[in-house]
Amino acid sequence: MIKLTVNDQPYTVDVEPTMPLLWVIRDVLHLTGTKYGCGMAQCGACTVHLNGEAVRSCVTPVKRAENQKVTTIEGLSTDFSHPLQQAWQEEDVPQCGYCQSGQLMSAAVLLRENPNPTDQDIDDAMSGNICRCGTYPRIRKAIHRAAAMQKTGGAQ
Amino acid sequence: MSQSTYTRRRFLKTGSTVTGGLLLSFFIPASAKRLGEKAGSNSTFVPNAYLNITPDNNVKIMLAHVEMGQGVWTTLPMLIAEELDCDWNKVIVEHAGPGEPYKHTAYGLQITGGSTSTWSEFDRYRQAGATAKAMLLEAAAKQFNVPVSSCRAEKGFVIAGDKRASYGELAEAAGKLTVPTNVTLKDKKDWLLLGKPTKRLDAKAKSNGAAQFGMDVHFPGMLIAVVAHAPVFGATPQSFDATAAKAITGVRDVVKIPTGVAVIADHFWAAKKGRDALKITWNMGPGENFSTASQFDSYRKLAETKGTPAAQAGNVTDALAKTTKQIKAEYIFPYLAHAPMEPLNCTVKVSGNSCEIWTGTQMPGVDQATAASILGLKPEQVKLNILFLGGGFGRRATPTSDFVSEAVQVAKASGKFIKLVWSREDDIRGGYYRPAFLHAVQIGIGENGLPAAWKHTLVGQSIVAGTPFQGMIKNGIDPTSAEGVMDSPYLESIPDHAIELHSPKAPPTVLWWRSVGHTHTAFVMETLIDELATAAGKDPVAYRRDLLKSKRHLGVLELVADKSGWNKPLPAGRFRGIAVHESFGSYVSQVAEISLDNGHLKVHRVVCAIDCGLAVNPEGVRAQMESGIIYGLTAVLYGEISLNNGRVQQRNFHDYKILRMNETPQIEVYIADSTEKMGGAGEPGVPPLAPAIANALFAATGKRVRKLPLQAADLMKA
Amino acid sequence: MNSRIPISSFCIIAVVTAAALSFTNNDDNRSWAQIKATSASDRIASENAFLQVYKVFMSPRCMNCHPAGDVPLNGDDNHLHPQGVKRGEDGKGLYALKCANCHQTQNTPGLNMPPGAEDWHLPAANMKLVFQGKSPHELAMQMKDPKTNGGKSPHDLIEHMKTGLVKWGWKPGEGRTTPPLSYTEFYNKFKEWIDKGAVVPPAGAK
């Protein structure tokens, strides 16, 4: 039995300790906002926050998250109030949308650690998240927009 | 393809829905033009789209096409909402399941593909909105006891003087009225939505984890299936030992199916571990002898023989002999995987004489029929639910319904309620690739520097041969193989030309891949035109002006030249290339600006101009151009599936690389203000990108690119 | 009288002590200045030992995390880490691309899966410890200068070679080649290089 806290909810799961956190989140807890894309930390679709860091849950053994704090896209905000989510909508970012949970979770760490990111900072933070639809230019704009929103007092 | 080819006699049916609202289905004779069928062979009347207005004033719009990123979730509702004058914020969108009402107006079967959704629904969806509004106005006139002419519709309300009723309030009464046979569509100048940048209706659900993709389907009692697929194309499982697999905690069953051995487990991780533990003996078959290296040798030999004529004028042999200057070129294009971000998946529940399926598919009707035939059911006994597609690019439009069939086979063999999940490895190695192609071209240059003779032979597998789409083959030519060459606008100016095609068979399965034949034909044509311009000592834009007669080609060429600053000098170390190409009814020209640093290519900027006729949602068109450019750039830099001894050499994103944020150029998109015939947007942004890059590389290195993806040597100066 | 003991006696005692410690490997507080080859044969042995361990340092398992730029390298062809991962101030990556976001404390099983070890990181930005592109001469100079080796004493450097991160090079996970020497050979040679004088191969030595 492994105890986890996901989006501030406590869970106890009966899985082997090496099982990737991704499959615990998706197939055991049925929180499906976190996506499977490659299973080898290449694409970032499975990105969640583990104690605030943007870990790739497809290669993170669930044991590493034991008694730790996990946040998924469902917990980024409960009311769509995160400036990145607002900016994503304003800039019409998603296309197929499958990678966007991971993109947002990565961007959230960038914005927390660097409230005023440059294009280079965005490259340095976001190049681990693949988008096959090519929404990168809009992701870039949305991150800048969210940064600006934060400065003027957050999302409306 | 024209929107005026079908008669507009409509047979509308209305009725009250279970919620008491107005349900509007309407019936239009579908276009006679089914794929591969002769015009006029289909005279049956089939129902089309429907919308539903609920008492709470929401407007539910059913999509005849599926959302896979291209934006129909927003664009098609815009068409209805424009005519209906409803409150845009009260629009609810759903995918329609398979059914007669949702068949494509031009293709005659239910399909999302060919960059056709918006133009093919332009009239039908607007008619739906206009008809519903007419009925709501009439219902209101009766309720208010005023003439219809004194009523007007605005944001989901009918207003007459100081009287006002919401569509929701009027829906039930409206549903009891006779359907008008003759409604007038709005004049373009009165449009409130069409032609205006409109934000996506699915953006929120796709930014908070709520959007449901096929992969996200979950029901109590549902198990996960992972299939061990054959290591080579055409191989079948002979025998297997599942002892070790079954010993893994969570594994529930192991069953043999035609395409492999399925491990069924409580969750993906157990199923995958089970798959890794299987011992399988395969009947390999001839697929094991296939390698891409030798494939191109045999294609080269084939290209030297007479092929099936695809386009011809004059006498190319004589004309070639008369020219003194010639260009001879061979081009090679690899197999390409679509690699949508959401790996393929399909959930199947079979119970007694019915079956329910949940998946993301571009061809629901075909999938439904295939599932029914596997189970010995009638299509109507199979309910198919469509979820968001995590990318399609053609991969989710398989004539063989490959992943749906496989899921149904697993459910049938195991008797279990399963969700089939492909791993990324299954996807990359699973075939249905853009076919590998070889082009052999010989051009004779006239005294004026223009091409006088053009002999062009293409060699590559047919996508449609042997599929239900075989009827598309005309006079031995699969148009998806030679489109972009056989109908090239340059041929008009070349008196003697001969385009020939060979369609050999090969073990890997092939499929339409975003922009299909244009993925390779545009590259060949546009790099050769650039080469001819250089040979003639002319500027590439000026040279194209001399050759092109089509005003839409010329229009986007001039627009992109202007916006990119084509005539202005570039900073030292920067180089640019241009290309222009029509596909799917839209005309796109792109300029790529690059630099080379020690064998490393950086694409700084891509400027794109498109003439797609009316851009219903310009923001959507812009997004699709950006998307196509990035999709195309991935193929130029990295795209290659190779096989050795029948085995696909690539496996996942580490060796089938996809463009990333730090490689993405600055992209500018300009949409021509056009009243020309509408074209598509999902695909036409892809074809010009690769030749624009290759032409820029020539400017930088003096070397011509003859093979994709780019090789290290292409990035060094000659 | 103690005060009359000649200074040279202290020196002799110190040298004897240092020599003794070099065999016990404990409480080794020699400074680099104190390490000198004391014979021609030691000089040759030390230099040769370095040329051997140099091959290990230049192997992809070591060099890939001691890159010339700020992007770690991958694979036996030393290509740039494809996710555009950057060093960061502390050598542990940046923002959403911190090393530990993908690299666990052990290798993730499977071909081409992210390798892992405790404290997976690059050298910090203020002390990059670049191996890539360095000649034996340059690398040896860099290694024995506390200003360019991260302030490490000879003892510290020997201890670094015992860390899990260095040892990972010899159990790098499926599909990755290992350095040309065994770990024990490497460790002994490295220690021999220092013990016999930390001789810097001449410029041009290979």
Side-chain angles (χ1 to χ4, degrees):
Chain A
M1 289 291 180
I2 294 175
K3 284 190 162 71
L4 301 169
T5 302
V6 182
N7 303 333
D8 296 326
Q9 293 287 312
Y11 294 92
T12 303
V13 292
D14 181 14
V15 296
E16 56 175 296
T18 56
M19 182 166 166
L21 179 60
L22 169 66
W23 297 111
V24 175
I25 290 170
R26 284 187 57 84
D27 282 3
V28 180
L29 307 182
H30 303 300
L31 290 167
T32 53
T34 305
K35 304 302 185 197
Y36 162 66
C38 69
M40 59 191 305
Q42 284 286 331
C43 79
C46 67
T47 304
V48 300
H49 293 180
L50 176 60
N51 298 331
E53 296 295 354
V55 302
R56 291 356 186 204
S57 64
C58 71
V59 293
T60 303
V62 63
K63 181 79 180 166
R64 182 176 165 192
E66 187 168 27
N67 298 319
Q68 309 296 307
K69 189 173 149 62
V70 176
T71 307
T72 68
I73 183 69
E74 290 91 344
L76 184 62
S77 76
T78 50
D79 53 0
F80 210 70
S81 61
H82 196 288
L84 282 165
Q85 290 175 315
Q86 301 267 311
W88 246 238
Q89 198 174 17
E90 284 298 310
E91 294 292 348
D92 246 2
V93 171
Q95 290 191 23
C96 92
Y98 193 78
C99 74
Q100 298 299 345
S101 300
Q103 303 279 2
L104 281 155
M105 296 313 278
S106 284
V109 173
L110 167 64
L111 220 51
R112 186 189 67 216
E113 296 187 355
N114 184 343
N116 193 21
T118 62
D119 280 347
Q120 183 63 53
D121 296 327
I122 292 171
D123 282 353
D124 292 348
M126 302 302 295
S127 299
N129 289 81
I130 292 175
C131 173
R132 190 66 166 131
C133 299
T135 62
Y136 304 127
R138 284 164 192 266
I139 289 173
R140 186 184 300 282
K141 281 171 76 179
I143 291 173
H144 285 308
R145 179 188 276 261
M149 283 163 73
Q150 269 188 339
K151 253 182 284 181
T152 56
Q156 282 86 35
Chain B
M1 309 281 268
S2 152
Q3 293 132 41
S4 56
T5 51
Y6 51 84
T7 340
R8 300 216 198 289
R9 280 178 63 203
R10 287 170 297 109
F11 293 78
L12 286 104
K13 283 184 178 174
T14 58
S16 292
T17 64
V18 284
T19 51
L22 166 66
L23 175 88
L24 181 63
S25 307
F26 56 105
F27 296 69
I28 300 173
S31 159
K33 193 179 169 190
R34 279 173 192 262
L35 280 177
E37 281 187 13
K38 279 184 189 162
S41 67
N42 174 21
S43 56
T44 54
F45 296 122
V46 287
N48 268 272
Y50 77 105
L51 64 92
N52 180 353
I53 299 173
T54 55
D56 56 3
N57 214 21
N58 283 323
V59 177
K60 188 161 89 179
I61 291 170
M62 306 300 289
L63 292 190
H65 299 264
V66 298
E67 176 59 54
M68 48 191 178
Q70 85 284 37
V72 293
W73 198 264
T74 307
T75 316
L76 298 187
M78 283 171 74
L79 299 173
I80 285 181
E82 178 64 65
E83 293 296 337
L84 184 58
D85 282 320
C86 61
D87 181 351
W88 181 243
N89 295 319
K90 296 217 126 197
V91 168
I92 298 166
V93 190
E94 280 185 20
H95 282 133
E100 288 295 307
Y102 309 112
K103 286 191 171 171
H104 197 290
T105 60
Y107 293 165
L109 82 165
Q110 195 170 340
I111 184 169
T112 307
S115 300
T116 59
S117 298
T118 302
W119 66 252
S120 73
E121 298 295 1
F122 188 60
D123 287 355
R124 177 159 93 162
Y125 267 60
R126 284 191 302 151
Q127 293 274 358
T131 305
K133 185 173 79 178
M135 296 167 80
L136 290 159
L137 286 170
E138 193 184 336
K142 281 192 177 141
Q143 188 180 312
F144 300 159
N145 202 17
V146 297
V148 173
S149 57
S150 66
C151 296
R152 65 188 167 88
E154 194 182 299
K155 277 201 164 184
F157 286 86
V158 179
I159 301 161
D162 58 352
K163 298 190 179 69
R164 188 178 160 89
S166 77
Y167 285 4
E169 289 160 356
L170 296 166
E172 192 167 359
K176 292 179 179 134
L177 299 171
T178 311
V179 177
T181 51
N182 190 4
V183 292
T184 312
L185 297 178
K186 279 188 190 174
D187 196 89
K188 190 176 174 179
K189 68 173 169 26
D190 299 323
W191 284 346
L192 300 169
L193 276 170
L194 305 191
K196 313 274 188 302
T198 306
K199 290 196 194 312
R200 296 181 66 110
L201 292 174
D202 55 355
K204 184 175 180 183
K206 287 176 174 177
S207 306
N208 66 5
Q212 289 276 302
F213 296 83
M215 192 67 102
D216 302 331
V217 168
H218 171 70
F219 295 99
M222 184 195 83
L223 298 169
I224 305 292
V226 169
V227 173
H229 291 110
V232 308
F233 289 101
T236 52
Q238 186 180 54
S239 61
F240 66 92
D241 175 359
T243 317
K246 284 181 172 170
I248 287 163
T249 309
V251 171
R252 300 289 169 184
D253 202 358
V254 179
V255 293
K256 191 163 109 170
I257 56 165
T259 50
V261 179
V263 178
I264 299 166
D266 293 342
H267 47 71
F268 177 88
W269 187 243
K272 188 189 166 290
K273 281 180 70 179
R275 176 172 77 172
D276 293 345
L278 284 175
K279 292 188 185 74
I280 306 171
T281 309
W282 301 93
N283 295 313
M284 288 299 182
E288 205 176 11
N289 304 321
F290 179 80
S291 294
T292 36
S294 55
Q295 175 187 29
F296 288 112
D297 292 337
S298 71
Y299 279 17
R300 188 169 295 119
K301 289 196 187 87
L302 211 48
E304 287 162 10
T305 65
K306 173 92 187 136
T308 309
Q312 204 166 348
N315 185 327
V316 79
T317 313
D318 288 356
L320 271 172
K322 282 180 202 148
T323 57
T324 50
K325 268 170 76 183
Q326 295 190 354
I327 291 174
K328 213 174 162 181
E330 178 192 282
Y331 287 85
I332 283 175
F333 302 92
Y335 287 111
L336 293 175
H338 306 69
M341 284 312 292
E342 180 196 15
L344 299 172
N345 60 83
C346 179
T347 301
V348 181
K349 184 181 193 182
V350 181
S351 29
N353 275 336
S354 68
C355 169
E356 190 161 3
I357 294 175
W358 295 262
T359 192
T361 172
Q362 296 174 246
M363 292 204 295
V366 173
D367 292 342
Q368 180 193 44
T370 309
S373 119
I374 292 168
L375 296 167
L377 299 174
K378 296 185 187 113
E380 56 269 28
Q381 290 172 301
V382 176
K383 185 177 181 215
L384 193 147
N385 307 279
I386 302 169
L387 294 107
F388 278 124
L389 283 66
F393 315 116
R395 182 61 184 89
R396 287 184 155 94
T398 41
T400 56
S401 298
D402 69 323
F403 57 97
V404 173
S405 295
E406 188 170 279
V408 172
Q409 293 283 7
V410 175
K412 186 184 171 189
S414 65
K416 292 185 167 66
F417 181 9
I418 57 99
K419 174 164 73 181
L420 169 74
V421 176
W422 278 31
S423 66
R424 178 58 60 195
E425 289 78 8
D426 292 320
D427 173 58
I428 299 294
R429 296 190 163 170
Y432 294 94
Y433 302 131
R434 190 283 301 271
F437 259 85
L438 180 142
H439 291 231
V441 192
Q442 205 178 348
I443 303 165
I445 304 173
E447 295 300 321
N448 57 0
L450 299 178
W454 191 295
K455 187 175 187 309
H456 194 141
T457 305
L458 300 91
V459 188
Q461 285 164 266
S462 164
I463 291 167
V464 300
T467 78
F469 293 82
Q470 183 153 286
M472 288 168 70
I473 298 177
K474 293 280 185 296
N475 301 319
I477 299 295
D478 175 351
T480 72
S481 294
E483 59 190 3
V485 172
M486 60 190 262
D487 52 358
S488 167
Y490 297 112
L491 295 182
E492 269 188 87
S493 310
I494 305 168
D496 298 278
H497 61 256
I499 315 300
E500 294 178 6
L501 175 67
H502 293 273
S503 304
K505 290 187 168 38
T509 45
V510 293
L511 193 59
W512 16 71
W513 186 100
R514 196 176 192 176
S515 81
V516 201
H518 301 281
T519 54
H520 50 97
T521 58
F523 187 82
V524 174
M525 295 307 295
E526 285 301 301
T527 54
L528 282 171
I529 293 298
D530 201 75
E531 193 164 347
L532 284 162
T534 306
K538 280 212 149 191
D539 170 77
V541 172
Y543 189 78
R544 281 174 174 81
R545 258 185 225 125
D546 291 347
L547 268 177
L548 289 168
K549 296 184 169 73
S550 139
K551 69 171 184 181
R552 297 182 77 181
H553 279 96
L554 288 165
V556 290
L557 187 72
E558 300 299 348
L559 181 57
V560 86
D562 175 40
K563 297 294 185 184
S564 68
W566 182 260
N567 292 319
K568 294 183 188 121
L570 283 166
R574 289 270 186 112
F575 303 91
R576 64 187 156 209
I578 193 166
V580 58
H581 191 80
E582 177 274 328
S583 62
F584 309 96
S586 288
Y587 299 72
V588 180
S589 189
Q590 291 169 3
V591 169
E593 277 182 29
I594 66 156
S595 67
L596 283 176
D597 176 19
N598 210 7
H600 176 77
L601 168 68
K602 178 151 179 70
V603 182
H604 296 270
R605 179 181 182 225
V606 176
V607 183
C608 172
I610 176 172
D611 174 358
C612 59
L614 169 72
V616 169
N617 183 4
E619 201 52 33
V621 171
R622 196 166 284 124
Q624 283 313 295
M625 290 303 104
E626 294 162 2
S627 175
I629 286 163
I630 289 171
Y631 204 82
L633 194 48
T634 288
V636 174
L637 294 177
Y638 305 123
E640 180 168 25
I641 292 288
S642 54
L643 290 92
N644 194 22
N645 297 323
R647 284 155 178 87
V648 176
Q649 301 299 292
Q650 294 73 24
R651 189 159 61 88
N652 204 315
F653 292 134
H654 67 290
D655 54 8
Y656 191 77
K657 296 211 283 180
I658 309 293
L659 200 83
R660 294 176 180 276
M661 175 69 88
N662 59 352
E663 303 165 297
T664 300
Q666 180 196 330
I667 299 173
E668 295 163 39
V669 178
Y670 299 92
I671 302 170
D673 186 13
S674 170
T675 52
E676 300 282 342
K677 191 175 154 191
M678 286 168 74
E683 295 168 276
V686 179
L689 190 274
I693 298 282
N695 293 340
L697 269 171
F698 172 78
T701 65
K703 290 195 291 197
R704 290 291 170 189
V705 178
R706 302 286 195 215
K707 186 180 178 189
L708 290 180
L710 295 174
Q711 315 291 306
D714 295 327
L715 308 180
M716 297 292 182
K717 280 198 185 232
Chain C
M1 286 171 74
N2 287 345
S3 63
R4 291 200 181 164
I5 295 173
I7 286 170
S8 60
S9 308
F10 282 109
C11 293
I12 291 161
I13 292 161
V15 168
V16 169
T17 309
L21 284 176
S22 75
F23 291 101
T24 63
N25 213 7
N26 291 320
D27 302 320
D28 180 354
N29 48 20
R30 289 173 296 172
S31 72
W32 289 103
Q34 289 170 312
I35 291 180
K36 285 196 170 62
T38 52
S39 68
S41 64
D42 275 7
R43 166 167 289 280
I44 291 165
S46 177
E47 183 181 326
N48 282 341
F50 189 83
L51 292 174
Q52 291 289 302
V53 295
Y54 174 78
K55 289 179 191 160
V56 172
F57 294 139
M58 290 296 124
S59 84
R61 297 298 81 77
C62 296
M63 198 229 274
N64 284 358
C65 286
H66 291 267
D70 284 326
V71 180
L73 310 174
N74 277 180
D76 287 358
D77 60 351
N78 315 114
H79 61 266
L80 296 176
H81 195 302
Q83 286 86 339
V85 176
K86 289 281 179 69
R87 181 191 306 275
E89 283 302 307
D90 59 2
K92 294 180 178 177
L94 277 175
Y95 312 125
L97 285 170
K98 299 196 179 83
C99 308
N101 288 357
C102 303
H103 298 276
Q104 312 299 317
T105 52
Q106 65 287 314
N107 292 327
T108 299
L111 192 61
N112 302 109
M113 295 295 269
E118 287 288 350
D119 198 25
W120 190 268
H121 70 285
L122 293 185
N126 62 2
M127 192 61 69
K128 294 186 180 178
L129 307 173
V130 175
F131 290 4
Q132 191 183 19
K134 293 275 158 79
S135 68
H137 173 80
E138 290 165 334
L139 190 59
M141 290 288 281
Q142 172 178 298
M143 280 200 173
K144 59 183 288 184
D145 182 351
K147 288 202 282 292
T148 55
N149 79 359
K152 287 188 173 68
S153 71
H155 173 73
D156 295 339
L157 211 53
I158 289 168
E159 288 300 306
H160 174 68
M161 300 311 163
K162 294 181 189 168
T163 58
L165 196 52
V166 169
K167 286 181 178 171
W168 168 87
W170 282 268
K171 47 172 182 66
E174 207 177 326
R176 291 184 193 91
T177 57
T178 51
L181 302 182
S182 75
Y183 175 72
T184 309
E185 285 170 329
F186 163 74
Y187 178 79
N188 290 339
K189 285 285 174 197
F190 186 75
K191 204 166 163 308
E192 183 181 359
W193 170 58
I194 290 177
D195 289 345
K196 294 198 168 163
V199 172
V200 175
K206 280 179 184 168

